[in-house]
Amino acid sequence: MAATAAMGFPQHLSSFNDLVPEWTSREVSTGTTIMAVEFDGGVVMGADSRTTTGAYIANRVTDKLTPIHDQIFCCRSGSAADTQAIADAVTYQLGFHSIELDEPPLVQTAANLFKDMCYRYREELMAGIIVAGWDKRRGGQVYTVPVGGMLTRQPVSVGGSGSSYIYGYVDSNYRTGMSKEECLRFAAGALSLAMERDGSSGGVVRLAVISEQGVERQVILGNQLPKFSTL
Amino acid sequence: MALCTGANQTEPLSQHHDLVPDWTAHEVRTGTTIMAVEFDGGVVMGADSRTTTGAYIANRVTDKLTPIHDRIFCCRSGSAADTQAIADVVAYQLDLHSIVMNEPPQVKTAANLFRRFCYRYREELMAGIIVAGWDKRGGGQVFTVPIGGMLVRQPVAVGGSGSSYIYGFVDENFKPGMSKEECIRFTGKALALAMERDGSSGGVARLAAITEAGLERSVILGNQLPTFSSS
């Protein structure tokens, strides 16, 4: 292939060629660990910050907590391109709907817009999304739209490749009626444990608290993460 | 196929035929969650009790904690046939070695016999084994021999399909220097969490505590397992 006509532009080299790294032929994926928890008065959302193309970390400080509206966010996992495209489309649709309604949109509406798109195009998409936020009618809510396009509301939801490792932690530590601070510690602990075990998750922990007052974002850097006596 | 001459009555039917259930075409596997923990003076081992052929539960009260010698047991995961065959071979080899040496065998000897077998035949086998026990020289020891035939000693080891879900829980809750009772509670809880999430794990939780004094086996029935308020 390297011997084809010497025009000015770069030739498309085979992916097996040593001149071209393997990761250039891999799709960009947010390997990821994401989660969201409801508390009385709002939600806490969290995500890691690693985006991978194969084994290469394309972005080690990714922001996977994406605003859809003033008090509605989504956590993205799966194909980075698909989830960005879906989030953009839903943001537009929700913004338009909110103007028509002349009031802030419901979290359930945003979740249904995600579900409509993820289900309709389920054969082409690879997207696992958690939608969470606060609205006046129902307070803090978490909805999960996993790969395939199902929609369900849950008090706590985890997603992404790293989520498998923390089901046991979440099942044993979650209680109804936790305060905002307890939810933050719970989420930070869960994400740290998953990032420790999942190769596709890592970097920093990004947290967001959404309530009637608005959105508070924070970052926990790698060296400030809670430590567990791992082996 | 139905029209062949009547001489040969036992013509094998195609898997796609409705007369033959789907599970007859699947290999028997111990889907499983297995675990072992060291403490000062011995080890605690635990396993679920589900054996599956496809979606059918062939045995719901399986004993996956197999004696290899008086104070050495192994937990089996993967192909039921492979692990039973390997355990039989290793038990024989260890027995002979123990007679030749005229003393009880060491846990690391048993672990190495497993490793030798699992590594040599790694292309043909599907076996993930945890070897644990007590000996005079090293006290309580846990060795893990995952698929592929690596051997490594760990204070805590988990294995099987259900283990993914409890890495976070184990990382958070294991502390060096736990007592035997704490280890038993820790193992029981971890197994319960995994059995709740993994479809290939379930039934009862079998536990075994091995010390210098001997062996104590116990069973936690399904309705006595700890429950967790999850979504």
Side-chain angles (χ1 to χ4, degrees):
Chain A
M1 271 197 158
T4 43
M7 299 290 284
F9 56 89
Q11 296 291 335
H12 181 74
L13 293 167
S14 152
S15 45
F16 304 119
N17 195 311
D18 279 340
L19 296 176
V20 175
E22 193 242 355
W23 52 257
T24 54
S25 56
R26 300 289 217 98
E27 198 201 335
V28 179
S29 143
T30 40
T32 231
T33 312
I34 49 176
M35 78 181 277
V37 200
E38 287 177 16
F39 64 91
D40 181 24
V43 295
V44 169
M45 309 174 74
D48 74 302
S49 70
R50 183 172 287 185
T51 307
T52 50
T53 21
Y56 175 64
I57 299 172
N59 186 352
R60 63 184 172 112
V61 286
T62 322
D63 186 4
K64 303 180 190 178
L65 303 177
T66 307
I68 304 298
H69 205 265
D70 295 342
Q71 283 160 312
I72 305 175
F73 270 57
C74 77
C75 309
R76 302 179 291 110
S77 77
S79 155
D82 286 351
T83 54
Q84 282 175 3
I86 297 167
D88 287 349
V90 170
T91 305
Y92 163 76
Q93 293 169 346
L94 199 65
F96 190 88
H97 169 74
S98 170
I99 287 168
E100 284 184 317
L101 228 53
D102 198 24
E103 62 177 53
L106 297 176
V107 186
Q108 186 177 12
T109 310
N112 276 88
L113 288 170
F114 271 106
K115 179 266 294 172
D116 285 345
M117 190 162 293
C118 291
Y119 179 69
R120 172 168 302 191
Y121 299 108
R122 64 192 183 281
E123 302 296 327
E124 288 97 349
L125 294 172
M126 172 78 96
I129 293 171
I130 300 178
V131 188
W134 182 93
D135 64 45
K136 203 169 58 173
R137 190 179 298 183
R138 295 204 181 94
Q141 300 145 74
V142 171
Y143 296 86
T144 181
V145 183
V147 170
M150 151 182 118
L151 168 64
T152 188
R153 181 181 174 188
Q154 297 179 301
V156 59
S157 186
V158 295
S161 57
S163 67
S164 314
Y165 304 108
I166 50 174
Y167 276 105
Y169 172 90
V170 167
D171 286 344
S172 65
N173 286 81
Y174 173 72
R175 306 170 319 274
T176 45
M178 291 201 288
S179 69
K180 179 176 94 169
E181 288 67 32
E182 287 175 310
C183 285
L184 280 165
R185 272 195 303 273
F186 172 61
L191 290 165
S192 307
L193 287 164
M195 284 158 65
E196 184 93 22
R197 287 287 180 180
D198 179 30
S200 310
S201 302
V204 304
V205 168
R206 293 198 188 277
L207 294 165
V209 183
I210 309 177
S211 61
E212 182 171 11
Q213 285 72 41
V215 180
E216 298 162 39
R217 300 203 58 163
Q218 28 172 302
V219 181
I220 308 182
L221 300 182
N223 58 352
Q224 295 161 352
L225 288 169
K227 286 192 180 27
F228 301 90
S229 84
T230 37
L231 319 158
Chain B
M1 270 191 163
L3 294 176
C4 287
T5 53
N8 183 359
Q9 297 290 7
T10 51
E11 198 85 40
L13 293 167
S14 150
Q15 274 90 318
H16 305 292
H17 209 293
D18 280 337
L19 295 177
V20 175
D22 180 60
W23 52 257
T24 54
H26 288 275
E27 197 200 342
V28 178
R29 318 200 57 238
T30 39
T32 230
T33 311
I34 51 176
M35 175 169 176
V37 196
E38 285 176 15
F39 64 91
D40 182 23
V43 295
V44 170
M45 310 174 73
D48 75 303
S49 71
R50 181 171 290 185
T51 308
T52 49
T53 20
Y56 176 64
I57 299 173
N59 186 351
R60 63 184 171 111
V61 287
T62 323
D63 186 4
K64 303 180 190 178
L65 302 179
T66 307
I68 304 299
H69 207 265
D70 296 342
R71 301 273 189 289
I72 305 176
F73 268 59
C74 75
C75 310
R76 302 180 291 108
S77 78
S79 154
D82 286 351
T83 54
Q84 283 175 4
I86 298 168
D88 287 349
V89 168
V90 171
Y92 161 76
Q93 292 174 334
L94 200 65
D95 194 33
L96 181 59
H97 169 78
S98 165
I99 288 167
V100 164
M101 301 297 288
N102 200 25
E103 65 176 44
Q106 295 183 63
V107 185
K108 71 175 177 196
T109 309
N112 270 285
L113 288 171
F114 271 107
R115 185 260 308 161
R116 202 124 45 88
F117 211 85
C118 292
Y119 178 70
R120 174 168 296 185
Y121 300 107
R122 64 192 184 281
E123 302 296 325
E124 289 95 351
L125 294 172
M126 171 85 92
I129 294 170
I130 299 177
V131 188
W134 180 93
D135 65 49
K136 200 173 58 177
R137 281 207 181 81
Q141 298 148 75
V142 170
F143 294 86
T144 182
V145 184
I147 293 176
M150 148 180 120
L151 169 64
V152 77
R153 181 179 175 187
Q154 294 179 217
V156 169
V158 294
S161 56
S163 67
S164 313
Y165 303 108
I166 51 174
Y167 275 105
F169 175 82
V170 168
D171 285 345
E172 183 211 7
N173 289 93
F174 172 72
K175 286 151 193 47
M178 290 198 287
S179 70
K180 182 172 88 168
E181 288 65 33
E182 289 174 312
C183 285
I184 290 174
R185 270 196 305 273
F186 171 56
T187 306
K189 253 183 115 176
L191 288 171
L193 285 163
M195 284 157 69
E196 194 165 310
R197 286 288 180 179
D198 180 30
S200 308
S201 302
V204 305
R206 296 198 187 276
L207 296 163
I210 307 174
T211 57
E212 177 172 14
L215 168 71
E216 292 165 38
R217 298 205 59 161
S218 56
V219 181
I220 308 179
L221 299 182
N223 59 351
Q224 294 163 355
L225 286 166
T227 45
F228 305 92
S229 76
S230 41
S231 36

Short mmCIF file of all heavy atoms in Angstrom, two decimals, chain A residues 2 10-11 14 17 35 64 70 74 90 112 115 117-118 127 129 133 138 154 156 194 214 221:
data_model
loop_
_atom_site.label_atom_id
_atom_site.label_comp_id
_atom_site.label_asym_id
_atom_site.label_seq_id
_atom_site.Cartn_x
_atom_site.Cartn_y
_atom_site.Cartn_z
N ALA A 2 2.05 1.15 0.59
CA ALA A 2 2.90 2.33 0.67
C ALA A 2 3.44 2.71 -0.70
O ALA A 2 3.91 3.81 -0.91
CB ALA A 2 4.06 2.04 1.63
N PRO A 10 -2.02 12.18 2.02
CA PRO A 10 -1.64 10.91 2.67
C PRO A 10 -2.55 9.76 2.22
O PRO A 10 -3.75 9.90 2.17
CB PRO A 10 -1.82 11.19 4.16
CG PRO A 10 -2.71 12.38 4.24
CD PRO A 10 -2.54 13.14 2.98
N GLN A 11 -1.93 8.62 1.91
CA GLN A 11 -2.69 7.44 1.52
C GLN A 11 -3.31 6.80 2.76
O GLN A 11 -2.79 6.92 3.85
CB GLN A 11 -1.78 6.42 0.84
CG GLN A 11 -1.19 6.91 -0.48
CD GLN A 11 -2.24 7.05 -1.55
OE1 GLN A 11 -3.27 6.38 -1.49
NE2 GLN A 11 -2.01 7.93 -2.51
N SER A 14 -3.13 0.52 5.71
CA SER A 14 -3.80 -0.61 6.36
C SER A 14 -3.67 -0.50 7.88
O SER A 14 -2.69 0.00 8.39
CB SER A 14 -3.17 -1.91 5.88
OG SER A 14 -3.30 -2.90 6.86
N ASN A 17 -0.52 -2.02 9.48
CA ASN A 17 0.79 -1.48 9.20
C ASN A 17 1.44 -0.96 10.48
O ASN A 17 0.80 -0.32 11.29
CB ASN A 17 0.59 -0.33 8.20
CG ASN A 17 1.89 0.08 7.56
OD1 ASN A 17 2.88 0.29 8.24
ND2 ASN A 17 1.88 0.19 6.25
N MET A 35 -22.91 7.30 37.41
CA MET A 35 -23.98 6.98 38.35
C MET A 35 -24.75 8.22 38.74
O MET A 35 -24.26 9.35 38.58
CB MET A 35 -23.44 6.27 39.58
CG MET A 35 -22.78 7.12 40.60
SD MET A 35 -22.18 6.08 41.95
CE MET A 35 -23.63 5.89 42.95
N LYS A 64 -18.20 13.98 31.30
CA LYS A 64 -19.29 13.13 30.83
C LYS A 64 -20.63 13.55 31.41
O LYS A 64 -21.65 12.93 31.13
CB LYS A 64 -19.01 11.66 31.19
CG LYS A 64 -17.68 11.18 30.63
CD LYS A 64 -17.39 9.75 30.97
CE LYS A 64 -15.95 9.41 30.59
NZ LYS A 64 -15.57 8.04 30.92
N ASP A 70 -31.33 23.76 32.26
CA ASP A 70 -30.78 24.42 33.46
C ASP A 70 -30.62 23.45 34.63
O ASP A 70 -29.60 23.45 35.31
CB ASP A 70 -31.68 25.57 33.90
CG ASP A 70 -31.72 26.68 32.87
OD1 ASP A 70 -30.80 26.71 32.02
OD2 ASP A 70 -32.65 27.50 32.90
N CYS A 74 -27.28 14.88 31.91
CA CYS A 74 -27.23 13.46 31.58
C CYS A 74 -25.80 12.96 31.73
O CYS A 74 -24.84 13.73 31.59
CB CYS A 74 -27.74 13.18 30.16
SG CYS A 74 -26.58 13.60 28.86
N VAL A 90 -31.34 16.11 21.81
CA VAL A 90 -32.32 16.21 22.89
C VAL A 90 -32.30 17.61 23.50
O VAL A 90 -33.35 18.16 23.85
CB VAL A 90 -32.06 15.13 23.96
CG1 VAL A 90 -32.90 15.38 25.19
CG2 VAL A 90 -32.34 13.75 23.39
N ASN A 112 -37.79 10.86 28.36
CA ASN A 112 -38.54 10.27 27.25
C ASN A 112 -37.98 10.65 25.89
O ASN A 112 -38.00 9.83 24.95
CB ASN A 112 -40.02 10.66 27.35
CG ASN A 112 -40.77 9.74 28.28
OD1 ASN A 112 -40.84 9.97 29.47
ND2 ASN A 112 -41.30 8.66 27.77
N LYS A 115 -35.15 8.40 25.39
CA LYS A 115 -35.63 7.04 25.12
C LYS A 115 -36.15 6.92 23.68
O LYS A 115 -35.85 5.95 22.97
CB LYS A 115 -36.74 6.68 26.11
CG LYS A 115 -37.34 5.29 25.91
CD LYS A 115 -38.59 5.27 25.06
CE LYS A 115 -39.73 5.99 25.75
NZ LYS A 115 -40.90 6.15 24.85
N MET A 117 -35.25 8.47 21.02
CA MET A 117 -34.16 8.41 20.05
C MET A 117 -33.37 7.13 20.19
O MET A 117 -33.04 6.47 19.19
CB MET A 117 -33.25 9.63 20.24
CG MET A 117 -32.25 9.79 19.14
SD MET A 117 -31.56 11.43 19.10
CE MET A 117 -32.95 12.40 18.65
N CYS A 118 -33.06 6.73 21.42
CA CYS A 118 -32.23 5.54 21.63
C CYS A 118 -32.97 4.27 21.21
O CYS A 118 -32.34 3.30 20.77
CB CYS A 118 -31.84 5.43 23.11
SG CYS A 118 -30.69 6.70 23.62
N ALA A 127 -25.31 3.46 23.03
CA ALA A 127 -25.37 4.56 24.00
C ALA A 127 -26.10 4.11 25.26
O ALA A 127 -27.22 3.61 25.20
CB ALA A 127 -26.09 5.76 23.39
N ILE A 129 -27.29 5.86 28.75
CA ILE A 129 -27.41 7.22 29.28
C ILE A 129 -28.22 7.22 30.57
O ILE A 129 -29.20 6.49 30.69
CB ILE A 129 -28.08 8.13 28.22
CG1 ILE A 129 -27.13 8.28 27.02
CG2 ILE A 129 -28.43 9.49 28.79
CD1 ILE A 129 -27.74 8.95 25.83
N GLY A 133 -32.12 15.07 37.25
CA GLY A 133 -32.30 16.50 37.46
C GLY A 133 -33.37 16.79 38.48
O GLY A 133 -33.83 15.89 39.21
N ARG A 138 -41.92 16.86 40.66
CA ARG A 138 -41.54 15.62 41.35
C ARG A 138 -40.20 15.70 42.09
O ARG A 138 -39.73 14.68 42.59
CB ARG A 138 -41.50 14.45 40.37
CG ARG A 138 -42.84 14.12 39.76
CD ARG A 138 -42.92 12.66 39.29
NE ARG A 138 -44.23 12.41 38.71
CZ ARG A 138 -44.50 12.52 37.41
NH1 ARG A 138 -43.54 12.83 36.56
NH2 ARG A 138 -45.72 12.29 36.97
N GLN A 154 -35.21 5.01 38.67
CA GLN A 154 -34.64 4.28 39.80
C GLN A 154 -34.13 5.27 40.83
O GLN A 154 -33.68 6.35 40.45
CB GLN A 154 -33.44 3.44 39.36
CG GLN A 154 -33.73 2.35 38.36
CD GLN A 154 -32.47 1.59 37.97
OE1 GLN A 154 -31.51 2.14 37.47
NE2 GLN A 154 -32.47 0.31 38.22
N VAL A 156 -31.41 4.89 42.54
CA VAL A 156 -29.97 4.96 42.26
C VAL A 156 -29.70 4.13 41.02
O VAL A 156 -30.28 3.06 40.84
CB VAL A 156 -29.14 4.44 43.46
CG1 VAL A 156 -29.49 3.02 43.81
CG2 VAL A 156 -27.67 4.54 43.17
N ALA A 194 -14.81 1.63 41.29
CA ALA A 194 -14.93 1.17 39.90
C ALA A 194 -13.71 1.57 39.09
O ALA A 194 -13.19 0.78 38.30
CB ALA A 194 -16.19 1.77 39.27
N GLY A 214 -30.19 25.10 42.00
CA GLY A 214 -29.37 25.13 40.80
C GLY A 214 -28.40 23.97 40.78
O GLY A 214 -28.68 22.90 41.32
N LEU A 221 -9.72 15.14 42.41
CA LEU A 221 -8.54 14.74 41.64
C LEU A 221 -8.08 13.34 42.03
O LEU A 221 -8.40 12.85 43.10
CB LEU A 221 -7.41 15.75 41.85
CG LEU A 221 -7.73 17.17 41.42
CD1 LEU A 221 -6.53 18.06 41.62
CD2 LEU A 221 -8.19 17.22 39.97
#
